[in-house]
Amino acid sequence: MATDNTLIEVNNLNVGFRFGDEYYNAVEDVSISLAKNEILAIVGESGCGKSTLATAIIGLHDPHNTRIEGEILYNGLDLTKLNEKLYNRLRGNDISMIFQDPLGSLNPVMTIYKQIEESLIYHTKLNDKERYDRVLELLNQVGIPKPERVMKQYPHELSGGMRQRVVIAIALANKPPVIIADEPTTALDVTIQAQILDLMKDIQEETESGIILITHDLGVVAETADRVAVMYAGQIVEEAPVDVLFTDPKHPYTRSLLNSIPNELHEDGEELHVIQGTVPSLQNLPRKGDRFRDRIPWIPDEAFDEDPILHEIAPGHKVRGNSWKYFHFEGEEME
Amino acid sequence: MEFLELQNMKIHFPIRGGIFNTIQDYVYAVDGVNMVIGTGKTYGLVGESGSGKTTIGKGIIGLEHVTGGKVLYEGVDVTNKARSRAQAYRDYNKDIQMIFQDSTSSLNPKKRIKDVIAEPMRNYFNYTKEEELNRVIELLEIVGLNENAIYRYPHEFSGGQRQRIGVARAVASDPKLIIADEPTSALDLSVQAQVLNFMQRIQKEYGLSYLFISHDLSVVKHMADDIAIMHRGRFVEQGSKEQIFNNPQHIYTKRLLSAIPKIDPLNREEHMDERRRIEAAYHEHQKDYYDENGRVYDLMKLSDDHYAALNPNISAEQLNIKGDA
């Protein structure tokens, strides 16, 4: 489904980590595309492989202990085949990343100005004056008050929300078409989170870039994303436009997850839905069959495919396997 | 007689400086807070980071020195008495327990689960070895862990399991009040649901009270009966869950409520407009809600189950008109 607007296309990607002599896939058979002017959210619980997918796209994995199969196409270029030097030209210029922890991703001994300027020095031929103007422009764009003063400050002098704005400014410095945001607001308070999300949306509309938003927070997804992919145990189990995913979820995992959020639908004292069991560890992951099967044991065996694949059930709505047709919550009747 | 009552509680931290390291000023972490927790009820304490909500919890359990006001436990003044060995305060020590946010650092990595959970029992009860073991197993079952966990170490468990061990330990001394400081913030959604369910189940079974400290309003809404919203060390609004969520009066409460992401993608444009409108109103009308030093006003009674810190010189109606403008 590559169209002119496609920025990134991931085809059948496997990312495996080495334990001893064996590789175990933390991301398996992931195919996904990101279009211009779109926010694609990837949701899932910790350990589902969402951050691994992001680091594979931007090439930050450890090459000695990671095996990548499949392709990641950007402008017809397969990123999995790039060497480090070429990748460096891409990173920050074409694809940039916003990390979860703004304190950890800023250099504590460099001023804010130096850190934003760094990427401009590396990727552009701007002179001192032009760089200064650009940094000022960026700080204004991300809504930092008194940018001339903040420029000369160090990360520890800023609040968490301001730091995250600086990180976003760095990511935006070269107007990259693709931005990957890995849990950008998880470390922030709700009011600051709302500001940062609004900011990201504004910037995305302004620059027409594509954003891959990685998060575990379904509320954040509902407020910002255009399209959503839900991951479980390294695989995408469902992919849909945001309104479809929340109004008409299909896959058992998506439905269970949505049901475990505390919300208005729960009456006083009513218990929340709990997904039985735990996510299997990477080495113990069943490599065959439906990975979610063990957690919904009341569903009869014939519901599960031998090899569930992601297929389209409606335009733009993909679900893995056919178990969703048989799924009902424990104790409830089939609809 | 109330079960637990805070009367004008203050916790101020000195800021030292100058040549002789004298006290220059204070940080007013908690500044005059009143609160009543009823038996078997859950009290939700909400605020952003740095608002002083954890400090209140620590003040009650005695991990922080209370500089002013009183903590009354079943009518007895127990302010700063947690370290006391006197018989009079023994019940207070036993009856108030805490669950911490970070399960990794709140369990001793060198102790087996059996010893972790048995420690409070050894402090307060004279169990024989066998009774102790049975009680540990019983507690583990309540939080959904099986018997073979007792000889394992904390690192062998997942985050959700560790947090449940933390719950089991807090319950071990048969407490009456558990202070839960962000008990599920570090957990995934489905695991959070497990821990919250266990907490509710235990509450029903033992008639426990909770002081539930969190920044996550949806979780607090699910758990709490009464809620206090905290800002700058003081309560800006206090009342029943229904009043706080359906009829917020203080601009800060409105701002906090509007900032929660809602799972309603079809109407998100409206949410965003609403959020921006309230954010603008918050900045514009700050002076109506905070005094000239930026301090939150004293709480004003609006109804039996609703208090808000409004400017005594401006009536609520006037504020409402401004807030909606």
Side-chain angles (χ1 to χ4, degrees):
Chain A
M1 54 178 269
T3 57
D4 291 344
N5 277 332
T6 308
L7 287 170
I8 285 212
E9 200 184 335
V10 176
N11 291 324
N12 305 91
L13 186 75
N14 291 343
V15 183
F17 294 124
R18 192 171 65 165
F19 290 95
D21 295 331
E22 289 228 40
Y23 283 94
Y24 295 91
N25 283 344
V27 167
E28 196 160 290
D29 187 29
V30 166
S31 298
I32 204 156
S33 68
L34 174 74
K36 210 171 155 181
N37 221 344
E38 170 183 63
I39 299 182
L40 167 72
I42 296 176
V43 264
E45 298 182 277
S46 42
C48 73
K50 53 190 195 301
S51 290
T52 308
L53 176 62
T55 39
I57 292 173
I58 202 167
L60 287 176
H61 50 269
D62 171 8
H64 300 294
N65 293 310
T66 318
R67 181 184 64 188
I68 296 198
E69 295 159 337
E71 43 178 27
I72 303 168
L73 297 176
Y74 170 75
N75 273 347
L77 195 69
D78 188 354
L79 301 186
T80 59
K81 306 255 173 358
L82 286 189
N83 63 27
E84 195 59 22
K85 203 175 159 200
L86 286 170
Y87 233 132
N88 270 340
R89 260 199 234 160
L90 222 69
R91 278 192 285 247
N93 200 30
D94 296 80
I95 305 175
S96 61
M97 189 143 174
I98 300 168
F99 294 93
Q100 172 175 358
D101 171 20
L103 194 59
S105 50
L106 292 172
N107 188 336
V109 295
M110 267 166 94
T111 59
I112 301 302
Y113 178 75
K114 287 268 181 208
Q115 307 201 35
I116 303 177
E117 188 195 27
E118 198 179 14
S119 145
L120 294 171
I121 296 175
Y122 194 88
H123 292 290
T124 66
K125 294 197 171 75
L126 299 180
N127 64 30
D128 283 5
K129 175 75 178 64
E130 287 164 339
R131 283 202 303 269
Y132 180 87
D133 291 343
R134 177 72 184 138
V135 172
L136 198 62
E137 186 190 337
L138 281 164
L139 288 174
N140 276 319
Q141 195 182 2
V142 296
I144 289 183
K146 304 195 189 92
E148 286 92 348
R149 209 187 83 191
V150 172
M151 262 183 205
K152 298 186 194 107
Q153 289 183 313
Y154 290 89
H156 74 267
E157 295 175 85
L158 305 178
S159 67
M162 284 300 144
R163 277 181 215 138
Q164 197 60 296
R165 283 169 198 266
V166 170
V167 173
I168 293 174
I170 294 172
L172 289 175
N174 295 307
K175 300 183 183 160
V178 180
I179 300 170
I180 300 172
D182 189 1
E183 306 265 9
T185 58
T186 307
L188 306 173
D189 278 324
V190 273
T191 48
I192 313 293
Q193 163 170 298
Q195 290 169 13
I196 296 286
L197 292 177
D198 287 349
L199 171 70
M200 282 176 58
K201 261 202 114 119
D202 288 346
I203 284 170
Q204 187 255 341
E205 276 161 24
E206 220 171 288
T207 58
E208 299 200 326
S209 51
I211 297 182
I212 299 180
L213 176 70
I214 290 164
T215 180
H216 69 280
D217 188 333
L218 289 161
V220 169
V221 173
E223 293 274 9
T224 44
D226 298 311
R227 215 149 45 83
V228 190
V230 182
M231 281 185 82
Y232 177 77
Q235 296 175 323
I236 292 182
V237 293
E238 186 160 3
E239 187 193 326
V242 67
D243 45 336
V244 176
L245 190 94
F246 285 99
T247 52
D248 189 23
K250 291 289 187 222
H251 195 275
Y253 178 64
T254 318
R255 288 180 60 188
S256 307
L257 204 58
L258 285 171
N259 224 10
S260 59
I261 311 172
N263 61 20
E264 290 80 19
L265 301 175
H266 290 92
E267 298 185 6
D268 273 357
E270 193 192 342
E271 293 208 335
L272 297 167
H273 178 72
V274 170
I275 305 176
Q276 285 189 18
T278 48
V279 184
S281 70
L282 199 50
Q283 283 124 305
N284 301 326
L285 215 56
R287 293 289 159 193
K288 272 194 177 145
D290 198 312
R291 296 188 176 183
F292 197 56
R293 182 176 183 167
D294 290 345
R295 308 194 63 183
I296 41 174
W298 62 92
I299 304 295
D301 286 351
E302 58 268 25
F304 299 99
D305 298 349
E306 195 97 323
D307 184 21
I309 51 160
L310 199 63
H311 59 271
E312 207 157 19
I313 59 161
H317 192 175
K318 294 180 195 163
V319 183
R320 186 172 290 272
N322 288 304
S323 60
W324 61 274
K325 290 178 187 156
Y326 303 88
F327 180 71
H328 57 90
F329 288 110
E330 196 175 14
E332 282 176 19
E333 287 297 306
M334 186 72 204
E335 286 162 23
Chain B
M1 186 176 72
E2 300 300 343
F3 172 58
L4 186 95
E5 192 174 352
L6 304 185
Q7 289 180 350
N8 200 20
M9 186 204 231
K10 288 178 182 164
I11 300 176
H12 297 171
F13 299 114
I15 303 170
R16 289 176 180 274
I19 318 170
F20 299 109
N21 207 23
T22 48
I23 295 170
Q24 308 278 315
D25 198 358
Y26 290 92
V27 174
Y28 301 97
V30 177
D31 195 20
V33 157
N34 296 295
M35 179 182 204
V36 174
I37 302 177
T39 313
K41 296 276 184 199
T42 303
Y43 201 104
L45 197 53
V46 184
E48 297 189 37
S49 44
S51 63
K53 54 192 194 303
T54 301
T55 313
I56 289 186
K58 287 184 169 172
I60 294 173
I61 205 166
L63 291 172
E64 214 68 83
H65 185 80
V66 178
T67 44
K70 278 182 188 167
V71 182
L72 299 179
Y73 174 67
E74 295 190 320
V76 184
D77 184 358
V78 293
T79 321
N80 297 327
K81 288 291 189 280
R83 300 264 161 90
S84 165
R85 298 264 167 185
Q87 197 62 31
Y89 305 116
R90 203 184 125 99
D91 277 350
Y92 155 66
N93 277 334
K94 176 174 99 53
D95 289 348
I96 300 185
Q97 293 292 325
M98 192 153 177
I99 304 170
F100 297 91
Q101 172 172 7
D102 181 3
S103 58
T104 319
S105 59
S106 66
L107 299 175
N108 188 337
K110 287 164 137 187
K111 278 188 172 175
R112 295 169 303 181
I113 297 309
K114 172 175 170 274
D115 299 315
V116 167
I117 297 179
E119 191 174 351
M121 299 179 205
R122 290 173 190 159
N123 287 339
Y124 298 110
F125 309 119
N126 291 316
Y127 285 153
T128 62
K129 280 234 151 106
E130 201 181 337
E131 281 170 343
E132 184 187 289
L133 191 67
N134 289 337
R135 179 81 179 126
V136 170
I137 293 170
E138 189 188 324
L139 286 167
L140 283 173
E141 271 167 14
I142 293 171
V143 297
L145 293 168
N146 64 19
E147 202 185 318
N148 59 32
I150 56 175
Y151 294 115
R152 287 158 72 188
Y153 288 88
H155 74 265
E156 297 175 55
F157 296 89
S158 69
Q161 287 171 329
R162 270 203 297 266
Q163 197 57 290
R164 272 141 61 190
I165 292 166
V167 175
R169 176 180 60 182
V171 181
S173 68
D174 297 331
K176 292 182 179 153
L177 172 74
I178 291 181
I179 299 170
D181 185 7
E182 307 259 13
T184 60
S185 309
L187 305 176
D188 273 327
L189 255 183
S190 60
V191 182
Q192 163 175 301
Q194 275 176 16
V195 173
L196 294 180
N197 283 351
F198 284 124
M199 286 181 70
Q200 282 189 329
R201 225 173 278 167
I202 294 165
Q203 179 168 40
K204 265 183 225 149
E205 209 159 305
Y206 298 100
L208 280 174
S209 311
Y210 286 123
L211 175 64
F212 198 96
I213 301 170
S214 182
H215 68 278
D216 187 335
L217 279 154
S218 56
V219 171
V220 170
K221 192 177 183 185
H222 180 72
M223 295 293 285
D225 302 298
D226 297 303
I227 292 174
I229 310 276
M230 236 187 140
H231 190 214
R232 299 181 188 167
R234 288 167 67 81
F235 287 173
V236 295
E237 200 153 354
Q238 185 177 26
S240 68
K241 173 165 68 178
E242 290 73 27
Q243 291 286 354
I244 298 285
F245 278 94
N246 302 332
N247 184 24
Q249 291 300 318
H250 198 279
I251 189 80
Y252 183 77
T253 314
K254 291 182 191 170
R255 177 175 177 238
L256 209 57
L257 290 175
S258 73
I260 317 171
K262 290 175 191 63
I263 299 199
D264 182 15
L266 297 173
N267 299 316
R268 68 184 186 193
E269 299 298 320
E270 287 93 274
H271 298 157
M272 192 157 155
D273 293 344
E274 173 77 6
R275 192 162 67 230
R276 291 194 165 169
R277 192 180 63 78
I278 292 178
E279 184 72 27
Y282 173 76
H283 288 290
E284 198 175 328
H285 300 302
Q286 278 234 351
K287 64 177 192 311
D288 295 340
Y289 289 92
Y290 300 91
D291 71 10
E292 56 271 26
N293 300 322
R295 193 167 184 262
V296 176
Y297 287 110
D298 288 333
L299 287 174
M300 237 165 44
K301 186 170 179 173
L302 301 174
S303 67
D304 281 345
D305 58 352
H306 195 187
Y307 297 80
L310 302 175
N311 187 339
N313 304 320
I314 303 176
S315 71
E317 286 77 34
Q318 279 173 303
L319 282 176
N320 262 334
I321 296 161
K322 279 192 180 180
D324 292 335

